[in-house]
Structures are given as C-alpha cells and as structure tokens.
C-alpha cells in the first residue's frame, strides 16, 4: 500500500488516504502572516496574509533563498485548526481515509474468496498505482478548468458508486478489478484539486504547510490503525458488507464537501491545453520540474525495505510480531519527524533543512548491510522516516513556485508521480530480491538512492540559480 503521498498520498480509493477541501463557513479567517520558505537562490518571497480570499496569480519564476521571516515564528498546528474550513476538511479527510483503507482490505479479501488466487488478490493493490499515472497526465487539466468544489464532490461520488457496484453479488471479478482501476484514475484529480484548494483556504504560507502536514500525518497513522480496524470489521461482516460501509464513508465525505464548501471559480481558462500538452506546459518551468523531482525521488527508494519486510523477516527467521514492528517503524518515524518539525521549527528553519534531510533520507538503510536483527533494522527505518520532515519546507517551495492558474494541474501531476514511483520502487525491489539477499538489496538502495538524491538536489539548486539570473535580467 502506498505510504508517501499526501500523498498525503490521499484520495478516495487509493493508497495513502484522501482528503477534501471546504470553504470557511463563518466567513472569517485567522489572520496570520507567514514567510513562505523558498527555493534558493532567488528573490525572497513572503506568504500572504490569510484573508480568506484566494491568492492572486503569481509569476512562474518562483522564490528562492529564504530570508529571515518577517512575521511571527511558525504558528503551530493549533492555528490551522482555528480555521473553521480546515476543520471540516480534516473531518471529511478522516471519512475518506476510512473508506480507502477498509475498501482495499475488503476488496482484497473478496477477490481471494472468489478466486482463491493470491495473484489476483495482490493485484487489487497493484492496480492502485498505474491508473494514477494515466489519470494524473490525461485528466490533470480538469483541476484548473472546473470549479474545485464540483470536482471534489464528483470524485467522491464516483468512488461511492464504484464501491456500491462492488457490493452487488453478481459483480464478476474482472469488473471488480476494473472498478478498482476507475477509482484509482480519478484519485490524482481529487488529490491535486484538494491540495490546490488548501492553498486557497490557508494561504500560501506556513498555515498551508502545516495543514498539508496534518493530512499526511493522518494518512500515515492510517497505516498503523486502518488495517486493524478493517480486520476487526471483517470479523463482524462479510467483505461485501465492509464495502457497503466504505460506500457510506465516501458519501459522507461528499456531503461534507457540498454543504461546507463556498463555491470557488475555476483557476484557469484551459488555455494551457489539455492532456499531455497541458502537462508539458507545466513541466516547461525548470524550477517546477526540479521540485517535482525532489518529491518523486525519495519515495522511489524509501518503499524498498517495506516492500521487502516479509522476505527480510523470513531471511533472519523472526516472528510475525517482529514483522509488524518492521512495518510500523517507517510510518512512526515519519509521523514523529513531521510533528516535531511542524511544532518546534520556524518556517525559515524548515526551509534550511530541506536538502540536508532529503539527501540523507535513505542513508540509514546502510545499517542493513550486516544483516541486522529487528531492533537495528527498525531503528534504521525509524530514522529514514523521520527525515521525511523535509516535505514541510518543500511544500512551501512548491506552492510558491507554481503559477496560480496552473496550481491544480501541477499538484495533480506531483501526487500522481509520487504514487507511480512507489509502485516502480516496490516492483524493482521485488526483482532485485530475486537475485540478491534482501539485506544487500536494502543496503544497496541506501547507496543508489543517496546518489540519485544528490543529483536531484544539484538540479534543484541549478534551477534556483537559473531563475535568479532570469529575474535579474528581467
């Protein structure tokens, strides 16, 4: 199951959970000014005052070297919850996330019960990856051409409808898998729209960063508790009954969105094109490309030890309880890192630690080289997860660099890419483990991943320098 998206990675019916966005029902907003950390080097950028209005369009040259914050230090997670609209977003996210986790587990069990085929059962998880790429590239333009509330509600209703068809006893296995694909296709559209609208709700500064962080934390927590909840539910009701509960959670999410959202107009006119041409319109911005690369490369390698946790437990001869510890270590580290960074570090500090944490994110995997026992392996995974705190600063750089009229499409592409590379990473890990011991594969991932991350960081700095020179010439 995907672990690294706003994943968050965060939309109805896909791996890392989902979310929703709504507008402030009271019509008020917590006023705050936060310096948006930015990509070095280049013109300084400060986040907007959170007035409740959608941020104005911005230049594609983006920000660069962060200066000292002009406003107060990081407002903390409490400030995010003071925005009534975000509280509705958060509750809707919980309902959608419940639907995601339970539906995946229930569908896997249902397919296995019908076919007794481990391959087809595992395929229900694998089908959550490739459709992300299709939906993210071909449908990304919808996020800027249609009103965001309409997109979010329709996506939730599509998920509810697909799950409802899964509940019908006459639905054949082939159609079950096709419905799983349909949910995954709309997932990146939902995720990108939600992320872009979150910037409208909270502004482009520190509140946006902390709001994104909270939704990611919830998604990671679902990895620790969601399957347990689904497992308990399946002891009470059959798989189709669990799926019916899931359809209800998506409907609740859609209802919250519809009743709690102030209608916002579409961001763009669609002039940038649709499908692949629109995607290229976003990727022509070197700074945006470099930032997306920095979002995509870490999870490509981070998923390797999780994908190989069961084979590794078998390799060192430990119990299933030890396997559970290995599976939990990375998300626990991620949650811990995000909470500490969001609670105690200012926006400027979070900006300064982005590249150091990102390029060292998979170095702890080198601890696998001597084929360690469970405690050391779990410690390595925890440390690797904790470095995920770099995403808070990277979120601020990204939202500041993307022009307003392309924000929905860019965020859709970013989340689709994150989900896709995780599937590639898991598949690659499995292939490598066919030819080498698991501990060698994981340690090798630490080396190869660090080299790739250094290259991505170098490109990010070069893109910042190029943008700075362009700004000075302008």
């Amino acid at each position: 199951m995907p672990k690294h998206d706003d994943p968050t990675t965060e939309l109805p019916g896909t791996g890392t959970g989902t979310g929703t966005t709504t507008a402030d029902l009271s019509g008020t907003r917590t006023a705050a000014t936060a310096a948006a950390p930015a990509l070095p080097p280049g013109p300084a950028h400060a986040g907007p005052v959170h007035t409740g209005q959608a941020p104005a369009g911005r230049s594609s040259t983006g920000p660069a070297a962060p200066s000292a914050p002009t406003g107060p230090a990081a407002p903390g997670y409490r400030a995010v919850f003071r925005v009534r609209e975000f509280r509705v977003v958060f509750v809707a996210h919980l309902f959608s996330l419940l639907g995601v986790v339970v539906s995946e587990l229930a569908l896997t069990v249902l397919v296995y019960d019908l076919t007794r085929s481990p391959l087809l059962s595992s395929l229900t998880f694998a089908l959550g990856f490739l459709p992300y790429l299709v939906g993210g590239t071909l449908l990304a333009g919808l996020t800027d051409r249609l009103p965001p509330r309409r997109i979010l509600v329709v996506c939730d209703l599509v998920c509810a409808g697909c799950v409802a068809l899964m509940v019908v006893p006459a639905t054949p296995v082939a159609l079950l898998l096709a419905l799983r694909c349909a949910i995954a296709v709309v997932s990146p559209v939902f995720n990108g729209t939600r992320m872009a609208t979150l910037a409208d709700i909270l502004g482009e500064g520190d509140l946006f960063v902390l709001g994104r962080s909270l939704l990611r934390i919830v998604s990671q927590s679902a990895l620790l508790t969601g399957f347990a909840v689904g497992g308990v539910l399946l002891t009470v009701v059959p798989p189709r009954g669990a799926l019916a509960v899931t359809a209800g959670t998506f409907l609740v999410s859609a209802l919250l969105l519809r009743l709690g959202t102030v209608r916002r107009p579409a961001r763009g006119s669609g002039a940038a094109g649709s499908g692949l041409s629109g995607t290229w319109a976003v990727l022509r911005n070197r700074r945006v490309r470099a930032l997306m690369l920095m979002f995509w490369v870490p999870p490509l390698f981070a998923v390797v030890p999780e994908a190989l946790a069961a084979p590794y437990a078998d390799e060192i001869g430990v119990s299933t309880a030890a396997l559970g510890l290995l599976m939990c270590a990375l998300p626990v580290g991620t949650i811990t890192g995000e909470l500490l960074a969001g609670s105690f570090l200012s926006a400027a500090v979070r900006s300064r630690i982005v590249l150091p944490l990102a390029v060292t994110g998979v170095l702890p995997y080198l601890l696998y080289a001597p084929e360690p026992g469970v405690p050391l392996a779990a410690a390595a995974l925890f440390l690797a997860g904790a470095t995920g705190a770099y995403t808070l600063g990277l979120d601020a750089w990204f939202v500041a660099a993307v022009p307003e009229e392309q924000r929905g499409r860019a965020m859709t592409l970013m989340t689709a890419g994150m989900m896709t590379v995780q599937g590639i990473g898991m598949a690659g890990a499995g292939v490598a483990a066919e030819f080498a011991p698991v501990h060698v594969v994981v340690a090798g991932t630490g080396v190869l991943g660090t080299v790739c991350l250094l290259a991505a960081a170098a490109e990010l700095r070069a893109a910042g320098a190029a943008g700075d020179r362009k700004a000075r010439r302008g």
Side-chain angles (χ1 to χ4, degrees), residues 86-340:
F86 180 79
R87 295 199 300 270
V88 178
V89 169
F90 191 80
V91 173
H93 180 66
L94 292 176
F95 276 101
S96 286
L97 193 57
L98 176 63
V100 168
V101 177
V102 174
S103 66
E104 287 193 342
L105 180 60
L107 183 60
T108 300
V109 174
L110 176 61
V111 170
Y112 184 74
D113 286 346
L114 293 174
T115 66
R116 313 310 296 179
S117 169
L119 174 61
L120 289 176
S121 180
S122 63
L123 190 60
T124 62
F125 279 109
L127 288 175
F129 290 103
L130 183 59
Y132 245 87
L133 182 61
V134 175
T137 54
L138 299 183
L139 302 180
L142 295 176
T143 58
D144 291 321
R145 296 203 305 269
L146 297 175
R149 182 177 68 178
R150 183 187 306 170
I151 296 174
L152 295 171
V153 172
V154 169
C155 285
D156 259 334
L157 292 178
V158 167
C159 292
C162 288
V163 174
L165 289 176
M166 294 176 185
V167 177
V168 178
T171 305
V173 172
L175 183 55
L176 290 174
L177 297 179
L179 292 169
R180 175 72 178 93
C181 286
I183 292 174
V185 166
V186 303
S187 295
V189 178
F190 183 98
N191 286 337
T193 304
R194 189 209 63 187
M195 288 173 59
T197 309
L198 196 63
D200 296 339
I201 296 169
L202 299 173
E204 299 177 12
D206 212 40
L207 287 185
F208 167 79
V209 171
L210 295 176
R212 282 266 292 146
S213 175
L214 278 171
L215 297 186
R216 272 196 304 268
I217 288 170
V218 171
S219 298
Q220 290 290 336
S221 299
L223 302 177
L224 304 177
T225 61
F227 283 125
V229 172
V232 171
L233 182 61
L234 287 172
T235 65
V236 180
V237 297
R240 293 190 194 274
L243 287 170
V245 172
T246 295
T249 64
F250 287 131
L251 289 174
V252 170
S253 176
L255 186 63
L256 286 170
L257 286 168
R258 182 61 184 84
L259 298 181
T261 301
V262 171
R263 186 183 187 278
R264 288 183 172 89
R267 286 183 180 78
S269 62
S274 59
L276 295 178
S277 64
T279 298
W280 178 239
V282 173
L283 296 179
R284 276 199 297 265
N285 186 324
R286 184 182 180 184
R287 187 185 299 268
V288 173
R289 289 200 311 270
L291 286 167
M292 284 191 179
L293 193 65
M294 210 66 214
F295 275 109
W296 294 343
V297 176
L300 173 65
F301 297 99
V303 298
V304 169
E306 288 184 290
L308 300 178
Y312 186 68
D314 182 64
E315 181 178 290
I316 62 176
V318 296
S319 66
T320 54
L323 172 61
L325 178 61
L326 292 176
M327 293 295 290
C328 290
L330 190 66
V332 168
T334 301
I335 293 169
T336 303
E338 290 225 18
L339 282 174
L340 291 176

